[in-house]
Amino acid sequence: MRILVINACPHRGNTWTLTKFVEEEMLKFDSTVEFDEIYLEEISIPFCCGCSLCFRIGHHFCPHNQYIQPIMDKISESDSFIISASCYQGAVPAICKNLTDHLAFLIHRPRYFNKKALAISTTGGVSADSVTKSIANTLHGWGINRCYQLPIVALSWNDYQPTEKHLKLISKIAKKFYKDVKSQKMHSPHIGPLIPFNLYRAMCYDYTPDKEYPTQDGVFWKQYQDMTYAKGIPMPIHKRVFANLVYLIGKKLSPKMIVTYKK
Ligand SMILES: Cc1cc2nc3c(=O)[nH]c(=O)nc-3n(C[C@H](O)[C@H](O)[C@H](O)COP(=O)(O)O)c2cc1C
């Protein structure tokens, strides 16, 4: 099993320490697990400049694609991945937000449907759970099948030592994540991710190459024309009905809210 670890903190501090404990725990369950580490602080990705080329003509045209594409490739090649991000001002650190800004187009054109993820955060006192929740929301938008969360109150500047209670929680979450990845079982998506998926699927017709404001969405969604969610992901009947309803709403709304851009 190959697990990609995206260290989305500006230094190797408390969150990194916690992540190492998770890795050790996973290795206890299966010594063959391989961890491939990315340290965002070593890559120095320039800030997302908001050019929107990823949305309009495709992410390959991002001026920073030389940094972004290798990360996307590593996600694709992994069995699943971990995102590790400290809690700064109740939110993810800028270095993490910069990565997810560069990948914001993924909510328009989701993928990674067979991947599972684990979001890890530490905080001094409060809001580690806000950080892991916000990462989980972002990842569901990317298409990730399930995201586990490990938020921890470290009560420390850079000297985190897990308590007995933390060690138990680390073991429990690491085990759940490992077992789920190992099982290769795909879970039915929550209602949340079905909304953007089916809205974009419906709205793509107004952005095909023959339209006034073509975008990459108009090309991408052809593969999902008759599908309420990605292939191989279980969709019970009530979710299919809901997804089709969202699709119909999207079809109705789309012509009234065409997104323009300067040519
Ligand atoms: C810039 C900055 C902002 C922080 N903001 C918060 C905060 O909003 N709430 C909190 O309880 N702790 C806050 N802390 C403390 C950290 O969340 C805590 O020390 C955390 O474990 C740091 O993880 P790291 O060592 O991986 O960066 C902040 C620390 C820094 C450096």
Side-chain angles (χ1 to χ4, degrees):
M1 181 188 297
R2 276 192 305 173
I3 302 291
L4 175 67
V5 184
I6 303 177
N7 289 288
C9 307
H11 70 156
R12 295 182 195 200
N14 288 344
T15 317
W16 177 78
T17 303
L18 173 60
T19 306
K20 287 288 148 196
F21 273 97
V22 171
E23 289 180 17
E24 277 169 30
E25 237 7 79
M26 288 181 71
L27 285 170
K28 279 187 204 164
F29 300 127
D30 181 346
S31 60
T32 66
V33 177
E34 288 171 31
F35 295 100
D36 182 10
E37 312 259 355
I38 294 178
Y39 287 92
L40 292 185
E41 104 260 13
E42 288 175 359
I43 306 176
S44 300
I45 307 169
F47 281 124
C48 167
C49 56
C51 64
S52 73
L53 291 175
C54 54
F55 292 106
R56 291 187 283 127
I57 54 173
H59 79 271
H60 295 109
F61 295 89
C62 169
H64 310 141
N65 194 46
Q66 75 208 78
Y67 305 97
I68 302 302
Q69 189 61 55
I71 297 176
M72 291 181 68
D73 291 344
K74 278 179 181 271
I75 294 175
S76 299
E77 289 155 13
S78 71
D79 288 304
S80 278
F81 64 97
I82 293 174
I83 294 195
S84 174
S86 351
C87 168
Y88 289 176
Q89 296 204 76
V92 296
I95 199 166
C96 179
K97 180 67 164 55
N98 187 37
L99 175 68
T100 57
D101 283 353
H102 279 91
L103 294 171
F105 74 90
L106 287 174
I107 193 168
H108 276 244
R109 304 195 294 277
R111 55 205 76 187
Y112 311 131
F113 296 103
N114 63 349
K115 310 283 177 205
K116 286 149 189 172
L118 169 60
I120 298 178
S121 183
T122 66
T123 179
V126 290
S127 300
D129 54 344
S130 307
V131 170
T132 56
K133 263 184 216 153
S134 102
I135 293 172
N137 285 340
T138 299
L139 298 187
H140 285 136
W142 293 4
I144 302 302
N145 186 246
R146 180 152 290 186
C147 183
Y148 293 85
Q149 299 181 39
L150 181 60
I152 290 283
V153 178
L155 295 176
S156 161
W157 300 109
N158 245 341
D159 187 30
Y160 173 57
Q161 314 280 345
T163 61
E164 275 305 310
K165 202 174 151 195
H166 289 176
L167 288 172
K168 278 191 188 142
L169 185 63
I170 291 165
S171 175
K172 185 177 150 195
I173 301 293
K175 189 176 184 179
K176 273 191 176 176
F177 177 57
Y178 167 76
K179 279 187 136 185
D180 198 6
V181 178
K182 183 80 180 164
S183 73
Q184 298 187 347
K185 178 188 167 195
M186 289 294 115
H187 305 278
S188 172
H190 294 297
I191 292 292
L194 295 180
I195 299 175
F197 187 99
N198 286 283
L199 280 180
Y200 289 122
R201 180 168 77 90
M203 291 174 155
C204 70
Y205 297 98
D206 289 307
Y207 302 94
T208 49
D210 54 317
K211 294 290 172 359
E212 191 180 356
Y213 293 104
T215 71
Q216 199 54 25
D217 291 11
V219 179
F220 175 86
W221 285 99
K222 264 191 195 157
Q223 63 189 309
Y224 295 113
Q225 258 170 17
D226 303 317
M227 294 163 70
T228 51
Y229 204 63
K231 204 171 153 197
I233 311 295
M235 278 287 282
I237 182 87
H238 69 282
K239 288 190 183 169
R240 268 183 276 151
V241 170
F242 174 78
N244 279 322
L245 197 66
V246 174
Y247 177 83
L248 290 176
I249 294 169
K251 274 288 238 190
K252 188 130 181 96
L253 288 180
S254 185
K256 295 176 202 151
M257 44 187 297
I258 301 291
V259 179
T260 68
Y261 52 81
K262 220 172 250 170
K263 292 189 186 173

